[in-house]
Amino acid sequence: MTTVPPPAAPAPEPISPVQAAALRDGVLPPVEEVRPGVWTLAVPFRFGVPDATLVYVVEGSDGALAVIDPGWAADDGLEALRDGLSTLARSLDDVALVVVTHLHADHLGAAAAIRRASGARIAMHRLEVEALGREREDAVANDADVATWGLPEDLRAGVVEAWGSGRRIGLGRTSEPFADLLLEDGDELPVPGRTIVTLWTPGHTAGHCCFVDEADGLLFTGDHVLPRINSGIGLGGRTTTNPLGDYLASLGRLDRYADLEVCPGHEYRFRDVVGRARTLARHREERSRHVAEALDVLHEPTLFEVAARVPFSGGIGSMTGLLLASALTQTAFHAALLGRSGEIRPA
Ligand SMILES: [Zn+2]
């Protein structure tokens, strides 16, 4: 049986004309005031799509700055952050706190450099810190998974290199601790004069967090909810829970924040986080349906054979390395959530 999928909901409208124009023109948007004492600026991230991270700078009542997701350190990322701060007549020296939504380099990357420059503390969810400490171990453990996926021979080495023991770990990291302040759900950030609360939203990574500033009407969403991109799932190290189940539950956690302006980690600010979360959840339902349909028609398939029947954008045939590993692990998460993992034959 085939079902006609519902038409994809349009992406939410940008709040900021300058961010919308910059995205259209393929340039970085300028520094913009979001609220009194809250600004956003973009830093480049050229190693992936999207190619810029939105950084948020929040001033406390003591004049010190907190930076949410400082972005990628390499190349001119840190330079873009310095430039952005200088247009506010501020510098890295003024940063007292670096808050990180999740462990990916396009968000966490510059944190340690800022700490070295200013003595700022780095705040991150405990699970992200644990995952960073386990990166090598997890990458090696991934090899055993990859061996069971039934990958064509010519694709396997690329996947091991991107997802398994061939991965480059801790690019540019030193022996410094990953974080000074371990966050848990509900924790208030130490920003004097403001109430910004940690909202744990696992899925994209296990310790991904959003941050809620109800007084200013702002919801910082990192990569949990983006206006146009469907975030990947389970991209923060090995977990004991199903990242897809976690992600869907985390989308549900946003229901309370329908009125807040969404400040995502990429693209542009928008409203109606609940509508966007519903669209993202529907996309997952549809993918689950495709996985179920593949399992219905295949007899003892490998994970690769199941994924090959799922209409990933571009199709699995166009994928290699990290993208392919992510498509395969997502297929496995969907099968597990359907209670049908047992139907997939380890190769
Ligand atoms: Zn990101």
Side-chain angles (χ1 to χ4, degrees):
M1 190 192 76
T2 46
T3 342
V4 179
E13 285 296 314
I15 284 179
S16 149
V18 289
Q19 283 184 343
L23 199 64
R24 188 190 61 224
D25 300 339
V27 297
L28 293 181
V31 178
E32 193 184 359
E33 186 177 58
V34 179
R35 294 287 186 274
V38 181
W39 299 270
T40 182
L41 59 101
V43 302
F45 173 60
R46 300 222 172 78
F47 291 92
V49 176
D51 58 5
T53 300
L54 297 177
V55 178
Y56 298 92
V57 178
V58 180
E59 188 179 43
S61 56
D62 57 352
L65 302 179
V67 172
I68 301 178
D69 280 355
W72 178 242
D75 298 325
D76 41 7
L78 196 57
E79 221 34 61
L81 181 57
R82 279 186 213 276
D83 289 350
L85 291 173
S86 73
T87 68
L88 304 171
R90 308 299 291 265
S91 74
L92 286 185
D93 294 341
D94 301 322
V95 180
L97 181 69
V98 177
V99 184
V100 182
T101 59
H102 65 292
L103 55 76
H104 290 158
D106 56 327
H107 299 260
L108 166 71
I114 297 173
R115 177 169 56 190
R116 281 193 292 274
S118 69
R121 287 189 294 169
I122 301 172
M124 198 168 17
H125 193 275
R126 172 182 53 85
L127 290 176
E128 298 301 80
V129 175
E130 288 175 14
L132 286 165
R134 248 190 7 244
E135 267 186 313
R136 167 57 52 199
E137 229 175 295
D138 277 4
V140 170
N142 285 348
D143 281 358
D145 289 349
V146 173
T148 68
W149 289 349
L151 283 170
E153 206 46 56
D154 57 326
L155 293 174
R156 189 175 306 167
V159 170
V160 168
E161 196 181 310
W163 189 256
S165 54
R167 262 187 62 197
R168 292 166 72 192
I169 304 290
L171 221 55
R173 285 209 194 103
T174 65
S175 56
E176 299 163 58
F178 298 115
D180 308 284
L181 194 59
L182 299 184
L183 298 175
E184 297 284 351
D185 188 51
D187 282 352
E188 246 180 63
L189 298 180
V191 182
R194 293 184 184 270
T195 306
I196 305 176
V197 178
T198 306
L199 181 72
W200 180 43
T201 49
H204 181 61
T205 65
H208 188 291
C209 291
C210 296
F211 298 97
V212 183
D213 178 349
E214 296 216 57
D216 266 328
L218 299 176
L219 175 63
F220 302 95
T221 58
D223 282 356
H224 180 44
V225 173
L226 298 167
R228 304 189 309 178
I229 297 169
N230 285 307
S231 297
I233 288 173
L235 299 176
R238 300 174 71 83
T239 54
T240 50
T241 59
N242 185 334
L244 174 62
D246 294 341
Y247 174 69
L248 293 171
S250 294
L251 288 177
R253 295 204 76 191
L254 303 177
D255 281 352
R256 290 183 47 196
Y257 305 110
D259 297 334
L260 303 191
E261 178 171 334
V262 187
C263 298
H266 305 284
E267 303 190 303
Y268 54 76
R269 304 195 309 287
F270 63 97
R271 282 186 217 290
D272 191 15
V273 74
V274 174
R276 180 61 186 149
R278 287 215 180 98
T279 301
L280 292 166
R282 268 200 304 276
H283 170 72
R284 292 292 157 186
E285 278 163 24
E286 206 179 304
R287 192 152 279 174
S288 276
R289 187 170 53 76
H290 286 125
V291 170
E293 284 172 4
L295 289 169
D296 287 345
V297 297
L298 297 169
H299 179 65
E300 297 186 359
T302 63
L303 184 60
F304 184 80
E305 287 165 343
V306 177
R309 296 185 75 100
V310 176
F312 289 102
S313 36
I316 201 172
S318 67
M319 294 178 182
T320 57
L322 185 63
L323 214 55
L324 182 57
S326 174
L328 284 156
T329 50
Q330 285 188 43
T331 303
F333 300 148
H334 280 276
L337 208 63
L338 292 162
R340 299 181 67 173
S341 298
E343 297 172 40
I344 298 173
R345 172 177 56 90

